[in-house]
Amino acid sequence: MTPRKPVYKRILLKVSGEGLMGRQGYGIDRRMLIEYSREISDVHRMGVEIAIVLGGGNIFRGVSEAAKDIDRVSADYMGMLATVINSLALQNALESVGVFTRVMTAIEMHEVAEPYIRRRAIRHLEKGRIVIFAAGTGNPYFTTDTAAALRAVEIRAEVILKATRVDGVFSADPLKNPDARMFREITYMETIRKRLKVMDSTALSMCMDNDIPIVVFNFMKRGNLKKLVSGHRIGTLVRGD
Ligand code: UDP
C-alpha cells in the first residue's frame, strides 16, 4: 500500500507535562518519551516539518498547590524552567530514535539550548530538524498553550495538534461522566462559551484571531498522530465559524 501524502506541511504539536509522566503520576517516564518519539519520527519521515511545545505540569505549575507560598512570578518562572527540563528529555529521546532536533528557549540559557529566534527556527524546520520550543512565552502569567499558539502563528504552522489522553473534546469529562459526548468539530467561540477545557482563553483567542485550527486528539493511541497527518478525521477539530 502506498503511504498517504501528508495533508500538512508544517505542524505544531503541543504535549502537556502530564502527558510525559505516564502512569507514575509525576516526573518523566522515559518509556513514554520513547513511544512519543517513535510516533513523531514516523510523521517526520513523511516529510512533515514539526515544531513541538511541551508543558511543565508534571514538574511544576505556577498556579498549583505546591506553589501557593511562592509569589506568582517566581512560581511561573519555575514552571517555565520545568518545560526546559521536559524539552531536553524529549530531545534526547528523539535523537535516540535518529531524529535531529534543536531546543530553543524563550529565556536565554546558552549552555543549555539555543535562544528562540524566529527566522532561525524556520530555517531549522526547513532543514528537516524538529524544533522544540521551551520556556513557554518567556513571560509569567501565561501558559504553554498560549506559547503553542504564539509559536504556531509565528512560524506559520498550518495546525496545532493538541495531544491529550482522551479522544477529543467532550461535553463533560469522559473519565468521570459516561454520558459525555464527543464533538467532531466545534468553533473557538463555542468552546469558550461552553467553558470546555480545550485551551485557556488567551491561547484560544490567539488561534481564533489568526485562524489556526486546533485538533485535539488522543496521543496514547498508537498511530493516531500519523493518521491525523494523513488526513483521517480523528479527534475534535476546533475552528472558526
Ligand atoms: N508558564 C509561564 N509562562 C509561559 C508558559 C508557562 O509562566 O509562557 C509557567 C506557568 O507557571 C505554568 C507552568 O509554566 O503553570 C507550566 O506550564 P503549563 O501549566 O502550561 O504546562 P502543562 O499544563 O501543559 O503541563
Side-chain angles (χ1 to χ4, degrees):
M1 200 175 74
T2 40
R4 280 213 201 184
K5 276 182 94 181
V7 291
Y8 303 114
K9 191 174 176 326
R10 184 175 291 166
I11 61 172
L12 189 138
L13 175 68
K14 164 76 209 297
V15 184
S16 75
E18 280 178 6
L20 307 181
M21 65 192 184
R23 285 203 201 94
Q24 60 194 22
Y26 65 93
I28 301 168
D29 181 345
R30 169 82 180 164
R31 280 166 310 177
M32 209 70 232
L33 287 184
I34 296 287
E35 285 218 357
Y36 288 160
S37 297
R38 292 204 180 108
E39 301 282 309
I40 294 167
S41 117
D42 279 350
V43 171
H44 184 249
R45 254 183 274 127
M46 293 168 77
V48 180
E49 294 177 11
I50 306 170
I52 303 174
V53 171
L54 297 176
N58 55 321
I59 300 174
F60 199 82
R61 241 194 213 112
V63 285
S64 63
E65 186 58 23
K68 72 176 182 350
D69 295 325
I70 305 173
D71 79 84
R72 174 69 192 268
V73 173
S74 301
D76 278 344
Y77 278 116
M78 291 165 72
M80 284 183 259
L81 293 177
T83 72
V84 179
I85 295 176
N86 285 335
S87 299
L88 294 180
L90 180 66
Q91 174 174 50
N92 189 273
L94 279 167
E95 294 194 337
S96 77
V97 301
V99 187
F100 291 107
T101 65
R102 292 289 187 275
V103 174
M104 301 189 112
T105 56
I107 297 170
E108 288 193 20
M109 45 182 97
H110 292 277
E111 289 78 3
V112 175
E114 290 182 21
Y116 171 68
I117 298 169
R118 180 181 158 270
R119 280 170 183 278
R120 192 180 277 181
I122 291 173
R123 190 83 189 106
H124 286 320
L125 292 168
E126 287 168 350
K127 286 192 169 175
R129 297 170 189 139
I130 292 182
V131 180
I132 306 170
F133 295 123
T137 62
N139 298 290
Y141 298 100
F142 286 96
T143 63
T144 50
D145 280 346
T146 302
L150 173 66
R151 296 295 184 238
V153 174
E154 285 184 283
I155 63 164
R156 300 207 178 87
E158 294 153 80
V159 67
I160 296 176
L161 302 180
K162 184 167 157 88
T164 64
R165 294 196 272 189
V166 292
D167 287 340
V169 179
F170 287 80
S171 53
D173 184 347
L175 302 175
K176 292 183 192 145
N177 187 340
D179 296 329
R181 183 169 66 83
M182 192 182 114
F183 299 98
R184 283 257 150 255
E185 279 191 32
I186 189 162
T187 63
Y188 306 109
M189 281 315 287
E190 270 179 285
T191 65
I192 295 173
R193 220 176 303 126
K194 294 193 163 98
R195 294 178 188 277
L196 302 171
K197 291 190 185 110
V198 176
M199 283 187 172
D200 60 272
S201 54
T202 314
L204 274 171
S205 32
M206 183 109 211
C207 293
M208 184 163 69
D209 292 348
N210 294 283
D211 220 3
I212 294 219
I214 308 160
V215 181
V216 179
F217 75 104
N218 192 340
F219 201 20
M220 306 299 276
K221 290 193 181 156
R222 279 215 185 134
N224 258 0
L225 183 62
K226 191 168 181 181
K227 280 189 196 156
L228 251 178
V229 169
S230 305
H232 292 266
R233 295 284 310 264
I234 55 168
T236 301
L237 170 68
V238 186
R239 52 161 182 80
D241 290 325

